[in-house]
Amino acid sequence: MEELLCYKHVEISYGLHAIVHDLNFSLHKGEILGLVGESGSGKSTIIKAAMGLLGNYGTVSRGDIWFEGKNLPDLPEKEMRQIRGAKIGMIFQDAGASLCPIRTIGQQIVESMSAHGTISKETARQEALEMFEKLDFKDGQRIWESYPFELSGGMNQRAGVAIAMLLHPQILLADEPTSALDVAVQRQVVQEMMNVRDMFGTAVIIVTHDIGVVSAMADTILVLQDGNTMEYGPAAEVLSHPKDAYTRKLLSAVPRLHRI
């Protein structure tokens, strides 16, 4: 299976304080990897590092993050802008908050697609409506014309997945994408990300504290505690025969969504 992304001995620090230690994992085409752990374990920091979104004080202080033969932390911002969105997409914990409240979904889609190439508004609209249809949105034209505040939180989150996928990235990074949603809408978002993998072969890293979500969708699970890897392996193995006491604690604490 084709390797898309590889973290090798990665340490991530804020100032002089290391918060992720000696992290190693690989992501392959079509794989869904669940990064699991309690709040503050370093999960979101790990995917922000790949996107160059650690902020002014964050840095990859050791190790490498390889993508297409390039070490991402070494790349200048101009080159990262060409990768961010177009090759590695991201959806955030609250897509509604990351969308501009005074522009329609359609306007934001045109802007996003135009940042990576010349495209007319009508072509962008057609491509968006096709993507909405593939992801089983009931009324794509209404979503295109809506402002984020006119849509439910769940619909904004699903729109965030669709917007990220319009650039056909090889990798989709999802930062706690279901944590603000009720269980019924969680299932829709989980199903949508699995559809994206099945239709486009997209690899997905999903960051979550919810073992239920990863048990429903992940192929591979990496369990973190205080920036350290507690467990890493095939999802079925980690869920049924956890080797570490911390993983067992997580498993006992959370109800599960049934695998879709």
Side-chain angles (χ1 to χ4, degrees), residues 2-15:
E2 182 187 347
E3 184 179 274
L4 296 179
L5 187 68
C6 182
Y7 281 60
K8 287 193 172 179
H9 303 294
V10 170
E11 177 186 89
I12 304 171
S13 302
Y14 278 90

Side-chain angles (χ1 to χ4, degrees), residues 88-219:
I88 305 177
M90 189 160 179
I91 55 171
F92 296 90
Q93 182 170 352
D94 182 354
S98 62
L99 293 167
C100 176
I102 57 170
R103 306 185 63 146
T104 65
I105 298 292
Q107 288 170 326
Q108 294 182 67
I109 286 172
V110 172
E111 190 174 83
S112 169
M113 296 180 79
S114 297
H116 293 279
T118 305
I119 190 167
S120 70
K121 179 181 176 181
E122 182 53 28
T123 302
R125 188 182 75 88
Q126 289 296 339
E127 289 189 18
L129 292 181
E130 284 173 22
M131 181 65 72
F132 291 165
E133 191 174 338
K134 282 177 180 168
L135 295 177
D136 202 27
F137 288 24
K138 299 303 180 203
D139 189 353
Q141 184 61 38
R142 180 183 69 82
I143 293 163
W144 173 268
E145 293 169 357
S146 294
Y147 292 91
F149 66 82
E150 295 178 307
L151 301 173
S152 68
M155 195 66 247
N156 273 318
Q157 202 67 350
R158 294 181 66 204
V161 177
I163 292 168
M165 287 310 301
L166 277 165
L167 294 170
H168 300 292
Q170 295 159 258
I171 299 169
L172 183 62
L173 307 177
D175 190 5
E176 297 272 12
T178 63
S179 64
L181 307 173
D182 65 41
V183 173
V185 184
Q186 278 187 21
R187 287 184 69 86
Q188 286 182 308
V189 173
V190 165
Q191 182 67 65
E192 191 163 303
M193 287 191 287
M194 294 185 77
N195 289 346
V196 157
R197 185 267 296 274
D198 294 342
M199 283 188 285
F200 303 107
T202 312
V204 180
I205 298 180
I206 179 163
V207 163
T208 181
H209 61 273
D210 188 340
I211 285 280
V213 169
V214 291
S215 67
M217 64 185 295
D219 302 303

